[in-house]
Amino acid sequence: MELLKKKILSESEILPGSVLRVDSFLNHQVDVELLRACGEEWYKLFKDEGITKILTIESSGIGIACLTAQYFGVPVVYAKKSRSATIGNDFYSTKVVSYTHGQSYEIFISKKFISPSDKILIIDDFVANGSALKVLINLAEKGGATVVGAGVAIEKLDKDGGKLLRELGYRVESLAKIKSLDNGKIEFAD
Amino acid sequence: MELLKKKILSESEILPGSVLRVDSFLNHQVDVELLRACGEEWYKLFKDEGITKILTIESSGIGIACLTAQYFGVPVVYAKKSRSATIGNDFYSTKVVSYTHGQSYEIFISKKFISPSDKILIIDDFVANGSALKVLINLAEKGGATVVGAGVAIEKLDKDGGKLLRELGYRVESLAKIKSLDNGKIEFAD
């Protein structure tokens, strides 16, 4: 998606460890118009799939998921990274390792928000090693729901998360594929 | 706002400690249509104020802030509860005590996202003791920005956060004011 690639080229920074800083438009400051455009793009790609719910993980997935959900007319459910006072006792949980933070943490989803009749589209900002997507798929399937696919803004091809998920049969639609960040240069796959 | 009050009456639960569980539409599952309507309401109230940015705090403020920001045509900035690898060293930070969780934690905003020319609208899901709003105001003003006001979905009048902020001269527009949760009954102020 050209608009997103342009924004990545003009506003992102490459940090040590092949981390792309996109905090001016994606995960600290949010360019709402850009994320709406991403949502519209995923709507074109998944509109015939009977999506009933969009699933994401806090925090950076929430804005993009909510802006996308309005095109589908469905609610968003976001997995939580802490077991808050209001979540109760009836939840699915699993561990996830963050690519950016290098830490492992547990995530939680109330069982009442995932049902066998759900057809779920997962939305997130990044896929690198794919750990967030994998746990979201795992939690959705624990609840008996069907995972129709995933929409991801930026896919980092130096890690094989997207590839592995596609090999497992999941449809992963990323809007900007980054082949390399070597030598301080952002190289897209297409 | 009638739509929000109806939703609170039909779907929320009262938990011990006067905590209102609204996780089916506000802070775990998100009713995107409802939050869009909240955003539209705040747009009516603040549209002539020259808002340049919407400020909120992760995680439960992000969805409602992004859906609101589209009416204003401005970006969202959300304060972070952890100092991630991508935030760098040039940030404002301050401590906040959560009403729901009872814990204190530090929040962070990159300095580059708050400037003296900004006219900021704060958006959040709840105001109870007002600690989140107070720290967001504090961080925005540290950056030299003008805080035009705050839009809050649910105000809990059993705590005086909203009242104190109004006494300090801030405009706080809450869309559902809850007077009491006593005896398992939700009583609105108007």
Side-chain angles (χ1 to χ4, degrees), chain A residues 21 27 30 36 59 70 76, chain B residues 30 36 59 70 76 80 86:
Chain A
R21 179 192 277 164
N27 53 25
V30 178
R36 268 166 67 102
S59 291
Q70 19 177 33
V76 167
Chain B
V30 178
R36 268 166 69 102
S59 291
Q70 26 179 24
V76 167
K80 301 198 156 206
T86 60

Side-chain angles (χ1 to χ4, degrees), chain B residues 28-47:
Chain B
H28 186 6
Q29 182 166 255
V30 178
D31 182 332
V32 171
E33 282 309 307
L34 176 68
L35 301 201
R36 268 166 69 102
C38 292
E40 213 173 344
E41 197 70 21
W42 288 313
Y43 181 64
K44 284 181 202 158
L45 293 164
F46 289 101
K47 68 176 159 33

Side-chain angles (χ1 to χ4, degrees), chain A residues 21 23-24 27-30 36 53 58-60 70 75-78 80 84 86 101 110 112-113, chain B residues 21 23-24 27-30 36 53 58-60 70 75-78 80 84 86 88 101 110 112-113:
Chain A
R21 179 192 277 164
D23 63 352
S24 72
N27 53 25
H28 186 7
Q29 181 165 256
V30 178
R36 268 166 67 102
K53 206 159 268 184
E58 66 178 11
S59 291
S60 51
Q70 19 177 33
V76 167
V77 174
Y78 57 91
K80 300 196 154 209
S84 77
T86 59
H101 301 72
S110 279
K112 60 183 172 183
F113 299 135
Chain B
R21 179 191 279 164
D23 63 351
S24 72
N27 53 25
H28 186 6
Q29 182 166 255
V30 178
R36 268 166 69 102
K53 208 159 267 187
E58 63 179 14
S59 291
S60 50
Q70 26 179 24
V76 167
V77 174
Y78 58 92
K80 301 198 156 206
S84 77
T86 60
H101 301 72
S110 280
K112 62 183 172 182
F113 299 135

Side-chain angles (χ1 to χ4, degrees), chain B:
Chain B
M1 188 193 169
E2 285 313 308
L3 199 65
L4 177 60
K5 286 188 200 169
K6 267 189 196 163
K7 194 80 174 180
I8 292 169
L9 286 175
S10 65
E11 290 197 19
S12 68
E13 284 171 74
I14 301 169
L15 302 181
S18 188
V19 170
L20 194 67
R21 179 191 279 164
V22 290
D23 63 351
S24 72
F25 58 96
L26 196 50
N27 53 25
H28 186 6
Q29 182 166 255
V30 178
D31 182 332
V32 171
E33 282 309 307
L34 176 68
L35 301 201
R36 268 166 69 102
C38 292
E40 213 173 344
E41 197 70 21
W42 288 313
Y43 181 64
K44 284 181 202 158
L45 293 164
F46 289 101
K47 68 176 159 33
D48 299 323
E49 302 294 333
I51 304 296
T52 63
K53 208 159 267 187
I54 286 180
L55 182 63
T56 191
I57 183 168
E58 63 179 14
S59 291
S60 50
I62 299 174
I64 195 165
C66 286
L67 292 164
T68 299
Q70 26 179 24
Y71 293 99
F72 290 89
V74 300
V76 167
V77 174
Y78 58 92
K80 301 198 156 206
K81 290 183 180 168
S82 66
R83 208 188 128 188
S84 77
T86 60
I87 202 169
N89 294 311
D90 212 16
F91 53 80
Y92 302 112
S93 75
T94 188
K95 269 202 179 159
V96 54
V97 180
S98 163
Y99 174 72
T100 322
H101 301 72
Q103 293 159 334
S104 87
Y105 51 91
E106 214 169 349
I107 64 167
F108 305 87
I109 299 185
S110 280
K111 288 188 179 177
K112 62 183 172 182
F113 299 135
I114 305 287
S115 85
S117 61
D118 276 325
K119 298 184 108 180
I120 288 183
L121 174 63
I122 296 170
I123 294 288
D124 208 0
D125 56 344
F126 269 98
V127 58
N129 61 28
S131 52
L133 290 190
K134 272 181 252 167
V135 298
L136 289 174
I137 290 172
N138 178 258
L139 292 177
E141 293 182 345
K142 264 188 190 168
T146 304
V147 175
V148 171
V152 173
I154 302 173
E155 179 168 356
K156 292 190 70 237
L157 298 176
D158 57 333
K159 300 286 165 184
D160 58 5
K163 184 171 169 276
L164 290 174
L165 289 166
R166 290 184 188 101
E167 283 170 6
L168 289 169
Y170 296 102
R171 182 175 173 196
V172 179
E173 298 282 359
S174 46
L175 303 182
K177 290 180 185 165
I178 293 176
K179 205 164 142 186
S180 154
L181 297 174
D182 294 345
N183 308 315
K185 203 178 158 298
I186 298 166
E187 200 185 333
F188 293 108
D190 36 59

